């Protein structure tokens, strides 16, 4: 019921995630402050900035893993500091996240790990089998379906994490350095997947250091580039 | 049937997300089986002691003997006085003076066929109380007034310590049962806590991909409850079979032959796996909530 209302709000005003005057600090000095950011429905944003500037932290605010220490963050029209635990879970079922330190359930084969967001939200996995295998093939892991996560390389884990993030057909995809350990050709391939999903109406926020990747993306999507540095978030100029 | 298979199957249901824990799982099974086995024995012991205490206390309250020793001429009148008193005593169901014939039979094994008529043999009166019993002290005092030669022997001297012992044994059995159940509860709680703490990363991953707290808690709770119930059920079954193998009643009224459960008492051991399951359910749920509270 509440979830349907949230969808409606998001569609109506076109805002999926919104940070207003948001600040975050792990105790002591705030890492960043006064951050305003509106992720409209179907938008594509890159998030860049030096290591340690707070890209991961900002993304964690966007799936309510952290609450802002100042200002507010809203997901699907709900402020995260007012959301109950089940509401957070429900919101996460609509957000695909590629975490920087991709965590899996090591005792389950890859295919089950990628299906995990379906499993935990009570959606049947069987009808999605074809999708699962196509997705695995797309990220170049078709032959690794039965492998267990500890047997995968860093890059393979990142590709698997991306597959897991998109399996539920989420409204939003938050990807934190999804191409950190991946060669150029595969990075472009993943970017193509994200661009394709974006064309289908998904909202994408992608944190990366890789300026070449951002340039390559310009041919595929109209993306905005955000830069976080020195505690501020700014729209990066065209000088990239 | 398929539902049960789904829950019991090692890979069935949502609890696949809980990593298998080989050794811990086997230890939990084994310990709850052992504890259940002990619990069944403590239960049997306690029930049997209780039964013995009741039977003996009952017999104690209900039967007594009055011995009338007096000079030959006074035995008859005093016996009549005693019977009269007994007749008026509330709580006495029946009273009967043994006949010469019966007394001779009692004495025969000891003295052979002596000409007893010539000896001043005390007269014996058999008293049977009602279920409520009679006031022993009151009766004693009245007898002293009406028939000075009458002595009431309520068998208490030798039976009372036995009744006390049986009651103590029942109490000890009960305490043992409580301790065993308490220890099992602590053991299950520790195992659940350890497992949940060790699986912090799994729980966090589940949470991040959108699992609700209830889903995560249920997966762990189901795994642990099943484990505790299956272990306890096996232990209870073996314990019940062992109790059943004890000689049954009717082979003598000794204590050891009374260890078997009687009738509806056989239902009591069924409570042991239920208890184990309830404890596992509560302990795992609490442990899961504790771990989940530490993460968003
Ligand atoms: N849990 C934490 N407790 C304390 N400080 C933290 C914690 N997580 C991150 N930080 C600090 O916050 C700062 C920002 O971290 P964050 O991970 O957001 O940076 P980032 O921009 O993602 O960097 P990178 O590009 O290296 O991934 C860093 O200085 C980091 O040390
Ligand atoms: Mg980071």
């Amino acid at each position: 019921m509440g979830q349907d209302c949230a969808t409606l709000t998001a569609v109506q005003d076109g805002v999926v995630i919104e940070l207003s005057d948001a600040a975050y600090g792990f105790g002591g000095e705030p890492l960043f402050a006064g951050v305003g950011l509106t992720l409209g429905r179907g938008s594509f944003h890159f998030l860049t900035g030096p290591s340690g500037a707070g890209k991961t932290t900002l993304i964690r605010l966007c799936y309510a893993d952290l609450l802002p220490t100042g200002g507010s963050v809203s997901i699907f029209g709900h402020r995260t500091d007012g959301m109950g635990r089940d509401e957070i879970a429900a919101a996460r079922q609509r957000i695909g996240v590629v975490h920087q330190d991709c965590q899996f359930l090591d005792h389950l084969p890859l295919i089950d790990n990628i299906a995990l967001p379906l499993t935990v939200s009570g959606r049947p996995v069987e009808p999605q089998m074809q999708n699962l295998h196509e997705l695995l093939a797309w990220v170049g892991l078709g032959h690794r379906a039965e492998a267990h996560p500890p047997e995968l390389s860093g890059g393979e884990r990142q590709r698997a994490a991306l597959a897991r993030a998109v399996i539920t057909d989420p409204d939003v995809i938050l990807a934190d350095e999804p191409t950190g350990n991946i060669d150029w050709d595969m990075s472009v391939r993943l970017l193509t997947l994200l661009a394709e999903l974006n064309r289908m109406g998904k909202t994408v926020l992608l944190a990366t250091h890789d300026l070449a990747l951002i340039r390559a993306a310009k041919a595929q999507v109209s993306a905005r580039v955000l830069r976080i540095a020195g505690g501020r978030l700014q729209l990066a100029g065209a000088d990239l | 049937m398929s539902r049960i298979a789904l829950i019991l199957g090692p890979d069935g249901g949502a609890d696949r997300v809980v990593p298998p824990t080989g050794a811990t799982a086997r230890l939990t099974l084994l310990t709850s089986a052992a504890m259940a086995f002990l619990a069944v024995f403590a239960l049997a012991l306690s029930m049997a002691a209780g039964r013995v205490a009741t039977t003996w206390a009952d017999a104690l309250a209900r039967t007594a003997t009055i011995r009338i020793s007096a000079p030959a001429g006074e035995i008859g009148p005093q016996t009549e006085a005693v019977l009269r008193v007994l007749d008026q005593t509330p709580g006495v169901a029946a009273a009967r003076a043994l006949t010469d014939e019966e007394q001779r039979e009692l004495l025969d094994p000891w003295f052979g066929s002596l000409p007893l008529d010539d000896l001043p043999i005390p007269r014996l009166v058999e008293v049977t109380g009602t279920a409520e019993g009679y006031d022993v002290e009151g009766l004693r005092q009245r007898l002293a007034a009406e028939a000075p030669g009458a002595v009431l022997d309520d068998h208490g001297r030798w039976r009372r310590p036995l009744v006390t012992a049986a009651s103590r044994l029942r109490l000890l059995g009960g305490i043992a049962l409580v301790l065993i159940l308490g220890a099992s509860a602590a053991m299950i709680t520790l195992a659940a806590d350890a497992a949940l703490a060790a699986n912090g990363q799994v729980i966090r991953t589940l949470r991040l991909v959108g699992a609700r707290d209830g889903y995560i808690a249920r997966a762990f709770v189901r795994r642990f409850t099943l484990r505790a119930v299956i272990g306890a059920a096996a232990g209870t079954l073996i314990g019940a079979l062992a109790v059943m193998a004890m000689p049954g009643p009717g082979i003598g009224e000794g204590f050891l032959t009374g260890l078997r459960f009687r009738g509806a008492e056989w239902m009591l051991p069924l409570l042991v796996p239920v208890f184990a399951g309830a404890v596992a359910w509560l302990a795992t749920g609490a442990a899961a909530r504790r771990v989940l509270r530490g993460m968003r």
Side-chain angles (χ1 to χ4, degrees):
Chain A
M1 183 62 207
Q3 207 173 318
D4 293 342
C5 287
T7 318
L8 218 57
T9 334
V11 172
Q12 272 168 358
D13 59 16
V15 176
V16 177
I17 293 180
E18 186 165 35
L19 284 73
S20 54
D21 198 25
Y24 193 84
F26 291 98
E29 280 287 285
L31 187 57
F32 50 75
V35 168
L37 172 63
T38 303
L39 299 184
R41 191 176 172 76
S43 64
F44 197 122
H45 287 85
F46 284 103
L47 177 62
T48 63
S51 178
K55 298 183 293 297
T56 299
T57 307
L58 192 129
I59 286 180
R60 288 175 71 190
L61 289 178
C62 293
Y63 59 92
D65 193 27
L66 297 174
L67 293 181
T69 50
S72 68
V73 176
S74 298
I75 305 176
F76 304 120
H78 295 272
R79 280 176 62 128
T80 52
D81 54 4
M83 288 169 98
R85 295 182 63 87
D86 281 356
E87 276 181 278
I88 292 177
R92 285 179 186 164
Q93 290 173 10
R94 301 171 58 195
I95 305 176
V97 184
V98 182
H99 309 97
Q100 192 167 16
D101 58 337
C102 358
Q103 293 293 346
F104 297 95
L105 300 189
D106 289 348
H107 66 286
L108 292 181
L110 193 55
I111 187 91
D112 290 337
N113 264 289
I114 289 170
L116 199 57
L118 296 172
T119 315
V120 302
S121 58
R123 279 173 270 187
V125 175
E126 222 30 66
Q128 299 272 6
M129 264 307 163
Q130 172 114 13
N131 269 347
L132 271 167
H133 284 286
E134 281 174 12
L135 193 55
L136 266 184
W138 182 265
V139 298
L141 292 173
H143 59 298
R144 303 292 270 153
E146 293 305 320
H148 285 74
E151 300 158 15
L152 301 180
S153 75
E156 284 173 331
R157 290 171 73 87
Q158 280 183 319
R159 287 182 269 153
L162 182 64
R164 184 178 68 184
V166 301
I167 187 62
T168 52
D169 193 24
D171 298 329
V172 192
I173 298 158
L174 306 173
D176 195 354
E177 310 261 11
T179 59
N181 295 310
I182 294 174
D183 62 71
W184 177 252
D185 286 347
M186 184 47 84
S187 297
V188 171
R189 205 176 154 81
L190 295 192
L191 185 67
T192 307
L193 175 63
L194 289 174
E196 179 63 34
L197 290 168
N198 179 243
R199 268 194 291 280
M200 289 163 56
K202 315 287 175 211
T203 308
V204 180
L205 175 63
L206 197 167
T208 182
H209 282 119
D210 193 344
L211 299 188
L213 191 69
I214 299 177
R215 280 187 215 103
K218 291 203 164 167
Q220 301 194 40
V221 285
S222 65
R224 289 206 292 173
V225 181
L226 305 162
R227 180 175 162 80
I228 187 166
R232 296 278 151 195
L233 181 74
Q234 284 165 334
L235 209 54
D239 55 320
L240 270 170
Chain B
M1 200 56 224
S2 65
R3 270 190 74 101
I4 295 174
L6 195 73
I7 292 175
L8 292 182
D11 276 358
D15 53 351
R16 279 192 73 198
V17 301
V18 179
T21 45
T24 320
R26 277 193 296 279
L27 278 177
T28 313
L29 267 173
L30 199 73
T31 327
S32 49
M35 290 297 203
F37 182 85
L38 293 176
V40 170
F41 262 96
L43 197 59
L45 178 72
S46 191
M47 302 300 299
R51 257 191 320 266
V52 168
T54 318
T55 324
W56 285 353
D58 215 32
L60 183 66
R62 289 171 54 113
T63 69
T65 312
I66 294 171
R67 196 173 67 245
I68 304 155
S69 1
E74 282 179 39
I75 288 219
Q78 285 210 20
T79 304
E80 259 153 48
V82 164
L83 289 174
R84 210 167 38 246
V85 167
L86 288 172
D87 197 36
Q88 292 159 2
T89 306
V92 171
R96 188 177 68 88
L98 297 190
T99 61
D100 287 344
E101 203 51 35
E102 288 168 321
Q103 296 210 168
R104 200 171 293 128
E105 269 170 32
L106 279 175
L107 293 172
D108 260 3
W110 306 96
F111 300 110
S113 347
L114 282 175
L116 290 177
D117 298 338
D118 304 340
L119 290 168
I121 301 290
R123 171 67 60 195
L124 298 179
V125 176
E126 225 177 49
V127 185
T128 311
T130 59
E132 293 81 49
Y134 48 87
D135 171 15
V136 176
E137 265 325 296
L139 179 59
R140 216 167 248 147
Q141 280 166 20
R142 237 150 345 115
L143 285 175
E146 306 272 332
V151 176
L152 173 67
D153 176 7
D154 65 354
H155 311 170
R157 238 174 321 150
W158 65 275
R159 270 199 169 165
R160 193 163 291 127
L162 287 183
V163 172
T164 311
S167 307
R168 291 267 164 79
L169 199 56
R170 169 172 53 181
L171 183 67
L172 283 181
I175 291 174
L177 187 64
V178 168
L179 288 179
I180 290 168
L181 294 181
S184 322
M187 183 272 301
I188 293 171
T189 308
L190 285 175
D193 266 4
L196 267 295
N199 283 310
Q201 192 53 55
V202 167
I203 293 174
R204 183 163 167 75
T205 304
L206 289 171
R207 192 65 203 155
L208 286 178
V209 298
R212 286 169 205 263
D213 287 356
Y215 178 91
I216 298 170
R218 266 197 305 280
F220 280 91
V221 163
R222 189 161 42 220
R223 180 70 71 85
F224 270 83
T225 306
L226 270 179
R227 213 172 268 170
V229 169
I230 291 172
T236 302
L237 184 68
I238 298 170
L241 287 176
V243 169
M244 208 184 284
M246 300 291 292
I251 304 176
E253 276 310 297
F255 174 71
L256 285 176
T257 57
L259 210 53
R260 271 202 207 173
F261 295 109
R262 307 269 163 90
E265 286 174 15
W266 282 105
M267 294 292 126
L268 283 178
L270 292 182
L271 294 177
V272 172
V274 172
F275 173 84
V279 168
W281 180 278
L282 292 174
T284 317
R289 277 190 295 280
R290 206 156 40 240
V291 173
L292 279 165
R293 215 179 295 133
M295 58 183 73
R296 287 190 62 78

